[in-house]
Every structure is written in structure tokens, then in C-alpha cells.
Amino acid sequence: LPHMTNKTDTPSGPAALLLNAEDNVAVACRALDAGETLDIGGLQITTQQPIGAGHKLALRPIGSGHTVLKYGQAIGMASRAIEPGEHVHVHNLDMADSVHDMAYGHAYRPTEPVPAPLTFQGIVRSDGRVATRNYIGVISSVNCSATVCRHIAGHFGDAVLAAFPHVDGVVAITHGTGCGMGGNGEGLALLQRTIRGYADHPNFAGVLVIGLGCEVNQIAPLVDTLSARDPGMFAALTIQEEGGTRETIERGKALVHAMLAQADACRREAVPLSRLSVGLQCGGSDGYSGISANPALGVAVDLLVRHGGTAILSETPEIYGAEHLLTNRAATPQVADRLMQRLRWWEQYAALHGGDLNNNPSPGNKAGGITTILEKSLGAVAKAGSTGLMDVLEYAEPVATPGLVFMDTPGYDPVSATGQVAGGANLICFTTGRGSTYGCKPTPSLKLASNSALFERMSLDMDFDCGGIVDGRMTLAEAGEAILQLMIDTASGRQSQSERHGLGDNEFLPWQLGAVM
């Protein structure tokens, strides 16, 4: 984005942005009236109708069937002839085939590490893993035990926890499945992998797992595969064996209370930034997301990777049409091939259910100026920065490779972030243009607003304002450095906005595959 490398002295900023010299559309930086004459990249353009902030306007004639370019990339084709100054959106822009040169790995360059890596104040567990938070988790194996888990966790409110100031809370991890499913196969294996990832997560100092007793997703196979915890910091109960819900709740309260003193003894210490694993999310995206918040997060990701940290890009349906930007910098042909295999699977999966991947942009995305999945994906991939793609993982698989990795997940934010946390993410960075309130216990979730109007309107939910990039008050480099510092501060214990408001208890949402029986 060469036009945004320097600040501007214009208080209101530009009226529209030209993102690439090859583009035939620009993006409105404010609501434009019909008949306004603008200087955009040296072209004098008169708007033909009102154009909303974040929406596109044509810079030159675009013939019917011709390609529409944004970011220097194809975002679709004109469904009819478009004149300069016209609003370009769903009424005159259609999806186009995504055809790119898949020169796997040609842009890969090893990341040059910084000579003196930064640190954050983390919690080092006895097995050497590093936490950013200090929770106790009460995890249900099946929906039938969810209410019991919530009653136990709900007992440990502020009054009880006041005696344990170094414990961040007791959180119930519940879900809507665990039975009525096949006793083997992909659906059960995926659920077990997700729950295992949470039960093993370093942000839990202690864990209590509760089942009903007769469910398909039995506790015993889960317990047998978990990493060892300190004595007294893991327990499992089944409601049927305990004698019912009341008995299980009372027994569960006693077990959790016994964990609190040991959890409260944990203290933070300086650890290298290489121990930070950040899940990258975007939701409620708008026309600014790919201009401000996502590329600013991408700058922060590049810095994090240079310090040895890990960033997890996900939401496979939302890289569709931009996958070449990832495969071209894959560390090996095998990594690129695994990514393409997942995209082919998604094409088949969508077709099986009578859909296609261009159905992805939501009504809110479109109201914010995004028209096609190609446009959305190009903006979404920007949050992955520019370093090499080092690995491709299945949903909720443990992330063990440092640097930028990709985890296959749906685009639905709670399902996607659940997979990232199960894989080990101890921080989430979530960009939004329309406004998301996503919390993510036991992992803190930072909300990065793509525009200042959103940041001001939802100031109690947003953690960082990227709108200054659009109007010239801040460069991408400055924003990226500030976001990295926000990551460090949050990983060191500074509460995110969602944590201040107590949000994040209901967002555990494993990806459900397979028949419900």
C-alpha cells in the first residue's frame, strides 16, 4: 500500500484510496454524495450516485465481463458495463473463476531472526509450557453434563476468588454434542482432539472433566491421552457414578476448591516471545478490513515471527481465491500441496450441501463494502504478513512448528478460534470492521477495529483502532509495532476488553462433522 507509507497532514484524510496502480476501482474513505468530483491517483472522478464508506467506485470504464481489480488482484468480473464514478458492488460485480499461477514456494525466503528477542511475562508450567492466563477449567465430555459444569464454575464468583488473586477464574467449557454420533470416525475423532487440546492447554492450571457416563464420547480414552499435570490438578467425574447432578456438583466444587491454592501460587516471569502462539481471526469484516486492520496485524505477525513466535492463520473458506499468496511462499512443496488439498475438500464439502464458497460473504460484509469471496479472501490473507508458510494442520491439531502456520477450520469465527486454542494458541488477535464482541476463555482475545467510527461506537469492546491507517494519522509500520506491543502486554497479564467485561464463557464451539443420530 505505497500511498499509506507516510502520514498525511489533512485532518479528514483522503476521500478515497487507490490501493494499487493497476486497480480499476478505489475505496471510499467516507460516505460520498452523488456529483462529488475527486482526485484519485491523478484521475478526476465524479461520483454517479451515493457511495458508502468502505465501498468501491470505478476509476475507468469496465466492460461487461471484464475483470475488476483491487489490491492489484482480480476480485470478480463486471456483470454489466460500468462507467467511471459508479458504485461497484453486488448489482454490477459477479464472482469470477479463481485462476492463479501456483508457483509453489517461489517467493519463500527464510525469516531473519532479530538479534535480541523480546520477552513477555508468562506463567511457566512444570512441564515447561508457557501460559498467558491462569484459569481452572471444568470441561464437559457431552452436552448432558454441560449444566453440571456450569453450576460448578458458577459457584466460583468474585467473592470466592477474592482469596485467590493470582487465579483468573474458573471457566466451564461446554458444548452441544458428545453423543448421538458414530462411535468411531472423523466426527468423534475431531471432537476428542478438540477437547483434548483444551484439557491440555497451559492456560488451565487445573482441569476437571465431567461426563454423564453412557455417552459415546467416553472420558476414559480422553484421560488416557492427556499430558500429566501436577498432583491434585486434574480430576474426572461421571454423573451416573456420583449418584446424580447434585452429588456431582458438590463433589466438583470440592475438587476445584482444592485446586485453587496451588493455582494461586503461580507467578509470572520473563519468557522469550518465541513462547507466544497467536491465533489470527477476522469477523464482521468490511471494506476497510483488508486496508487497515488486516495488513497492520500482518506487520505485527512478521515481527512476532522474527522474534521466534508462532501465528496461526485459519478460516479455509476465507482464503479461497487468495491461496496463491500462501502457496507461493510455502516452505516446501508438501506444505503448499496440503493447503490445496484442504481447499479441494472444501469445494466438495460445499457442493455436497448445495452451496459454493462464494456464498461466504455475509450480509454484514456486503453492507460494509465487500462483494465477493475473492475480495474478502485477499483482505483476510493480509493478516498473515509476508513470512514463509511453514506448516498446514488439521483442525485442532497441536501446533509445534514456529513461524506462520495454517490450520484448516471453517470461516465461522467461534468454531475457527476453538480449533486454534485447542492447537495451543495462548492469544487471539481478531480484526473486525462491523464489530465483534468475541471473547475466548481461557485465551485472551484482542479486537482490532478496522475503522475509527467503529472504535468510537464500540469503545468498550475494541482494543485497538486501526482507522488511523485509512486517514493517514498512522502508518502500517507504526500500527504493526503498536499491535505487537499490545500482544506482549496482554500476554503479560493486561486484560483485554472482553476480559474486563467477563466475556468468553460461551464461545467454545467444536467443529461438528458427521451424522447426528
Coordinates of all heavy atoms in Angstrom, one line a residue, residues 63 77-79 103 119 151 161 191 197 267 318 358-359 376 384 388 410 417 431 435 440 451 458 463 469 497 503:
G63 N -15.7 -2.9 -19.0 CA -16.7 -3.5 -19.9 C -17.4 -4.7 -19.3 O -16.8 -5.4 -18.3
M77 N -15.8 -10.1 -11.9 CA -15.9 -9.6 -13.2 C -17.2 -8.7 -13.3 O -18.2 -9.0 -12.6 CB -16.0 -10.6 -14.3 CG -17.1 -11.6 -14.2 SD -17.0 -12.8 -15.5 CE -18.5 -13.7 -15.2
A78 N -17.2 -7.7 -14.1 CA -18.4 -6.8 -14.2 C -19.5 -7.6 -14.9 O -19.4 -8.2 -15.9 CB -18.0 -5.6 -15.1
S79 N -20.7 -7.5 -14.2 CA -21.9 -8.2 -14.8 C -22.6 -7.3 -15.9 O -23.5 -7.8 -16.6 CB -22.9 -8.6 -13.7 OG -23.2 -7.4 -13.0
A103 N 3.0 -21.2 -8.5 CA 4.4 -21.5 -8.5 C 4.9 -21.7 -7.0 O 5.4 -20.8 -6.4 CB 5.2 -20.3 -9.1
T119 N 10.8 -10.3 25.3 CA 10.2 -11.2 26.2 C 8.8 -10.7 26.6 O 8.4 -9.6 26.4 CB 11.1 -11.3 27.5 OG1 11.1 -10.0 28.2 CG2 12.5 -11.8 27.1
H151 N -22.9 -25.1 36.7 CA -23.2 -24.9 38.1 C -21.9 -24.9 39.0 O -21.7 -24.0 39.9 CB -24.1 -26.0 38.6 CG -25.6 -25.6 38.4 ND1 -26.3 -24.9 39.3 CD2 -26.4 -25.9 37.4 CE1 -27.5 -24.7 38.8 NE2 -27.6 -25.3 37.7
L161 N -13.3 -16.1 44.7 CA -11.9 -15.9 44.1 C -11.1 -14.8 44.7 O -9.9 -14.7 44.4 CB -12.1 -15.8 42.6 CG -12.6 -17.0 41.8 CD1 -12.7 -16.7 40.3 CD2 -11.6 -18.2 42.0
L191 N -13.9 -34.2 17.7 CA -14.3 -33.7 19.0 C -13.3 -34.1 20.1 O -13.0 -33.2 20.9 CB -15.7 -34.3 19.3 CG -16.3 -34.0 20.7 CD1 -16.5 -32.5 20.8 CD2 -17.6 -34.7 20.9
G197 N -7.2 -30.9 23.4 CA -6.4 -29.6 23.3 C -6.8 -28.7 24.4 O -5.9 -28.0 24.9
R267 N 3.3 -17.7 39.5 CA 3.7 -16.3 39.3 C 4.3 -16.2 37.9 O 4.8 -17.1 37.3 CB 4.8 -15.9 40.3 CG 4.4 -15.9 41.8 CD 3.3 -14.8 42.0 NE 3.0 -14.8 43.5 CZ 2.0 -15.5 44.0 NH1 1.3 -16.3 43.2 NH2 1.7 -15.4 45.3
E318 N -12.2 -18.7 3.7 CA -11.9 -17.3 3.6 C -10.5 -17.0 3.1 O -10.0 -15.8 3.2 CB -12.3 -16.5 4.9 CG -13.7 -16.7 5.2 CD -14.1 -15.9 6.5 OE1 -13.3 -15.2 7.0 OE2 -15.3 -16.1 6.9
N358 N -18.5 -19.0 -2.7 CA -18.8 -17.6 -2.9 C -20.0 -17.2 -2.0 O -20.3 -16.0 -2.0 CB -19.0 -17.2 -4.3 CG -19.0 -15.7 -4.5 OD1 -18.2 -14.9 -3.9 ND2 -19.9 -15.2 -5.3
N359 N -20.7 -18.1 -1.4 CA -21.7 -17.8 -0.5 C -21.2 -17.2 0.8 O -22.0 -16.7 1.6 CB -22.6 -19.0 -0.2 CG -23.4 -19.5 -1.3 OD1 -23.7 -18.7 -2.3 ND2 -23.8 -20.7 -1.3
K376 N -12.9 -10.6 -0.2 CA -12.8 -10.9 1.2 C -11.6 -11.7 1.5 O -10.8 -11.4 2.5 CB -14.1 -11.7 1.7 CG -14.1 -11.9 3.2 CD -15.4 -12.6 3.6 CE -15.5 -12.8 5.1 NZ -16.7 -13.5 5.5
A384 N -1.8 -12.4 7.6 CA -0.8 -13.4 7.8 C 0.6 -12.8 7.5 O 1.6 -13.6 7.6 CB -1.1 -14.6 6.9
G388 N 7.3 -16.9 5.5 CA 7.1 -18.2 4.9 C 6.0 -19.0 5.6 O 5.8 -18.9 6.8
P410 N -13.4 -24.0 9.6 CA -14.5 -23.2 8.9 C -14.2 -21.7 9.1 O -13.3 -21.3 9.9 CB -15.7 -23.7 9.7 CG -15.4 -25.0 10.3 CD -13.9 -24.9 10.6
A417 N -11.8 -20.3 16.0 CA -10.9 -19.9 17.1 C -10.8 -21.1 18.1 O -9.8 -21.3 18.7 CB -11.4 -18.7 17.8
T431 N -9.5 -9.2 14.0 CA -9.8 -7.9 13.3 C -11.3 -7.9 13.0 O -11.9 -8.9 12.7 CB -9.0 -7.8 12.1 OG1 -9.4 -8.8 11.1 CG2 -7.5 -7.9 12.4
G435 N -17.9 -5.0 13.8 CA -18.0 -5.0 15.3 C -18.2 -6.4 15.8 O -19.3 -7.0 15.6
C440 N -12.8 -15.4 24.5 CA -12.3 -16.7 24.2 C -11.6 -17.4 25.4 O -10.5 -17.8 25.3 CB -11.3 -16.6 23.0 SG -10.9 -18.2 22.3
N451 N -11.8 0.6 11.5 CA -12.1 2.0 11.2 C -12.4 2.7 12.6 O -12.9 2.1 13.5 CB -13.3 2.1 10.3 CG -14.6 1.5 10.8 OD1 -15.3 2.1 11.5 ND2 -14.8 0.2 10.5
M458 N -18.1 1.4 19.6 CA -18.0 0.2 20.4 C -16.7 0.2 21.2 O -16.0 -0.8 21.3 CB -18.1 -1.1 19.6 CG -19.4 -1.2 18.9 SD -19.5 -2.8 17.9 CE -19.4 -4.0 19.1
D463 N -10.1 -3.1 21.3 CA -8.8 -3.0 22.0 C -7.8 -2.1 21.2 O -6.9 -1.6 21.8 CB -8.1 -4.4 22.1 CG -8.9 -5.2 23.1 OD1 -8.8 -5.1 24.3 OD2 -9.7 -6.1 22.6
I469 N -4.8 4.4 10.0 CA -4.1 4.0 8.7 C -4.9 4.5 7.5 O -4.3 4.9 6.5 CB -4.0 2.4 8.7 CG1 -3.2 1.9 9.8 CG2 -3.4 2.0 7.3 CD1 -3.2 0.4 10.0
Q497 N -10.4 -6.1 26.5 CA -11.7 -5.5 26.8 C -12.8 -6.6 27.1 O -13.6 -6.5 28.0 CB -12.2 -4.7 25.6 CG -11.4 -3.4 25.4 CD -11.7 -2.4 26.5 OE1 -11.5 -2.6 27.7 NE2 -12.3 -1.2 26.1
L503 N -16.5 -11.5 29.4 CA -17.0 -12.3 28.2 C -16.1 -13.4 27.9 O -14.9 -13.4 28.2 CB -17.1 -11.4 27.0 CG -17.9 -10.1 27.2 CD1 -17.9 -9.3 25.9 CD2 -19.4 -10.4 27.5

